[in-house]
Amino acid sequence: MKGILKKWSSISLILRIVIGIVTGTILGLVFPGFKIIPVLGTVFVGALKGVAPVLVFVLVISSIANASGEIGARFRTVIFLYMFSTLLAAITAVLGCFLFPVTVNLSLGAADGAAAPEGLGEVLGNLLSNMVANPINAISGGNYIGILFWAVIFGLSLKSFAGEQTKKVLSDFADMTSQAVRWIIQMAPFGILGLVFSVVSENGLGIFYDYGRLLILLVGCMLLVALVINPVIVFAFLRENPYPLVLRCIRESGITAFFTRSSAANIPVNMTLCEKLGLDKDFYSVSIPLGATINMNGAAVTITVMALTIVHTMGISVDIPSAILLSIIATFAACGASGVAGGSLLLIPLACSLFGVGNDIAMQGVAIGFIIGVIQDSVETALNSSADVLFAATAEFHDRKKRTTYIA
C-alpha cells in the first residue's frame, strides 16, 4: 500500500486531476445512482471550507507582521507596479464579466431566504457590519470581510510590538497552515471525481459547456492582461516598445511557470532571467521573491471572474460602484493568496461575501475552480510569474533612465 501511495504521489497533480475528471464523468454516465461517490466531493469541499478561513487569517497576519518597512526608490516603484497591475487585472476581469456574463450550475438551496443587496449603499452597510464582527465568529462562520479586517489589525499591532521570535512563530504557523492546505489539495483528484460524478449524473455532459465558457472567459481576461494591459503599463514608464521585454518574459518565465504551477517554484528561473537582462542582483534578489508573494495579476482575474459568475448565477445585480469596490478587494485578496496550487480559489468566498453570498454557495464556486484549474491555474501562474520579472525590469530600467536624465 505504501508503495502504491508513493507511486500515485509521484504522478503530476495535473494528470491526477485529469484522471479524476475522466473517471468521474464515466462513472456519472454509467452508474448515475451510485450514492457513495458524491461523498468524496462533499468531504473535499468540506475540508476546504474548514481550512480556508484559518489560512486567510494566518497568512495576512504573518505577511503584515513580517513585512519590511525599509525600501528604496526602485522598490517603491516595483511595489507600485505590482499593486497597480493587479488592480487593473481585476478591473479587466470585471469588464469581461459585464460584457460576457457567465452562469454555472449551483445548488442554491443554502441561499433560500437570502436577499440580494440593492446598490452600493447596502453593499457598504454589509461590508462595515461584517468587518467588525467578532473575530472568532468571523473565522468559524466564514465571514471573510471580518477575517481580513481583524487580520490586518492584529498584523499591524504585531508588526509594531512583537519581537522577532514571535514574528518567526507567526511565519512558521503560516507555513504550517499552508502545508495543511497542500495536503488537502493532494486529495483534489478524489474530491473532483466525486464532484464531477455528481454534476454529470444530475445534468449530463452539457455541464461542461458552462465550465468551458467560464474557462474561456478566465483565460481570455488573463491573455488580455498579459498582452495588452501590462505592455501599456511598461510603455507608460519606459516610453519604448514594450513587447520585446514582454514576450521574452513570457517565453523564458511564463512557459516554465505554466507547467510548474507555482510562482515560488519559478523563482530560480526568474532570477536567471533577471541576470540575463542585466538587472542589479541586490534589487532582483528581493523584488522577485516579493513579486511571487504580492504580484498576482492572474489571481485577481480568477477571484473577480469566479465571484461575479457566482453572483450572476444567483441573479444579483452588480452596479459600477460595487464592481469597483470588488476590484479593490480582489486586488488585496490576490496579494494574500497562498503559494499553493489553486491558492487563489480559496479567496473567492472573500469576494463573494461583499454581495452577501454565503460561504456554502461560494465554496461551490471554489469546487468548480478546482475542476477547471487544470488549465486555469497554469495560465494564472504563467501570468503571475512572468509579470514578476517584467515589472522588476521595468522598475530598474525606469530608475536608470531617471538617473541618466538627472546626470545629463
Side-chain angles (χ1 to χ4, degrees):
M1 179 62 70
K2 187 176 180 180
I4 295 174
L5 290 174
K6 186 175 181 180
K7 188 171 182 60
W8 171 254
S9 299
S10 67
I11 301 173
S12 163
L13 181 61
I14 297 176
L15 180 57
R16 282 183 279 157
I17 289 176
V18 171
I19 293 172
I21 293 172
V22 173
T23 305
T25 302
I26 294 173
L27 292 175
L29 293 172
V30 178
F31 305 106
F34 200 48
K35 300 298 184 182
I36 192 65
I37 297 178
V39 174
L40 297 173
T42 303
V43 171
F44 177 63
V45 173
L48 290 176
K49 183 178 172 182
V51 77
V54 179
L55 178 70
V56 173
F57 189 68
V58 171
L59 285 180
V60 173
I61 290 179
S62 177
S63 61
I64 292 176
N66 288 284
S68 171
E70 299 179 2
I71 53 175
R74 281 180 295 176
F75 287 107
R76 284 194 292 272
T77 301
V78 79
I79 288 174
F80 171 79
L81 288 169
Y82 287 160
M83 298 298 293
F84 183 61
S85 64
T86 302
L87 174 61
L88 290 185
I91 292 172
T92 300
V94 167
L95 294 175
C97 289
F98 277 9
L99 293 172
F100 307 101
V102 173
T103 59
V104 291
N105 187 278
L106 297 174
S107 175
L108 301 179
D112 290 345
E118 299 178 359
L120 182 61
E122 188 173 346
V123 169
L124 288 175
N126 292 337
L127 180 66
L128 292 173
S129 62
N130 287 333
M131 278 174 58
V132 295
N134 182 292
I136 303 300
N137 292 339
I139 295 173
S140 63
N143 171 10
Y144 285 84
I145 298 297
I147 291 169
L148 190 62
F149 173 77
W150 288 113
V152 170
I153 295 296
F154 293 154
L156 290 173
S157 299
L158 288 165
K159 181 176 175 60
S160 300
F161 300 108
E164 292 302 316
Q165 188 61 38
T166 302
K167 293 178 181 179
K168 177 66 168 59
V169 171
L170 278 172
S171 180
D172 290 342
F173 194 66
D175 292 341
M176 177 193 73
T177 310
S178 295
Q179 181 59 52
V181 175
R182 291 188 185 95
W183 286 337
I184 292 172
I185 290 176
Q186 288 299 313
M187 298 297 104
F190 301 102
I192 288 171
L193 186 154
L195 293 168
V196 171
F197 175 89
S198 296
V199 296
V200 169
S201 61
E202 293 174 8
N203 304 284
L205 293 177
I207 195 68
F208 290 109
Y209 173 73
D210 290 339
Y211 291 171
R213 292 173 64 229
L214 175 58
L215 184 59
I216 290 171
L217 177 59
L218 280 163
V219 174
C221 289
M222 291 181 195
L223 290 177
L224 184 62
V225 171
L227 299 176
V228 178
I229 304 299
N230 286 352
V232 168
I233 296 173
V234 174
F235 176 78
F237 272 76
L238 301 183
R239 298 296 178 182
E240 60 185 48
N241 181 6
Y243 283 99
L245 178 60
V246 169
L247 295 178
R248 184 172 184 183
C249 290
I250 293 174
R251 184 175 66 251
E252 298 191 30
S253 172
I255 292 177
T256 306
F258 180 89
F259 292 102
T260 62
R261 298 178 73 211
S262 170
S263 294
N266 214 47
I267 286 176
V269 175
N270 285 351
M271 294 279 202
T272 301
L273 178 54
C274 286
E275 184 178 1
K276 291 179 182 178
L277 292 170
L279 304 187
D280 179 5
K281 186 175 182 179
D282 290 337
F283 173 62
Y284 71 71
S285 62
V286 176
S287 61
I288 292 301
L290 178 67
T293 304
I294 70 170
N295 182 41
M296 294 291 178
N297 297 182
V301 170
T302 296
I303 294 167
T304 304
V305 170
M306 294 299 294
L308 286 178
T309 296
I310 294 169
V311 168
H312 288 154
T313 299
M314 295 185 66
I316 298 174
S317 178
V318 181
D319 55 25
I320 297 299
S322 300
I324 293 173
L325 185 58
L326 171 63
S327 299
I328 296 171
I329 288 177
T331 298
F332 287 100
C335 293
S338 170
V340 302
S344 61
L345 298 176
L346 301 180
L347 294 165
I348 293 170
L350 171 60
C352 288
S353 64
L354 177 66
F355 301 97
V357 177
N359 200 32
D360 290 340
I361 299 297
M363 274 300 170
Q364 293 180 50
V366 175
I368 292 171
F370 274 101
I371 292 173
I372 64 174
V374 173
I375 297 175
Q376 167 270 324
D377 194 48
S378 295
V379 178
E380 175 186 314
T381 307
L383 173 57
N384 291 340
S385 190
S386 61
D388 292 347
V389 182
L390 177 66
F391 293 126
T394 300
E396 177 147 342
F397 294 156
H398 176 68
D399 183 63
R400 290 179 189 176
K401 283 194 170 187
K402 282 177 59 179
R403 282 185 287 155
T404 302
T405 302
Y406 177 77
I407 293 172

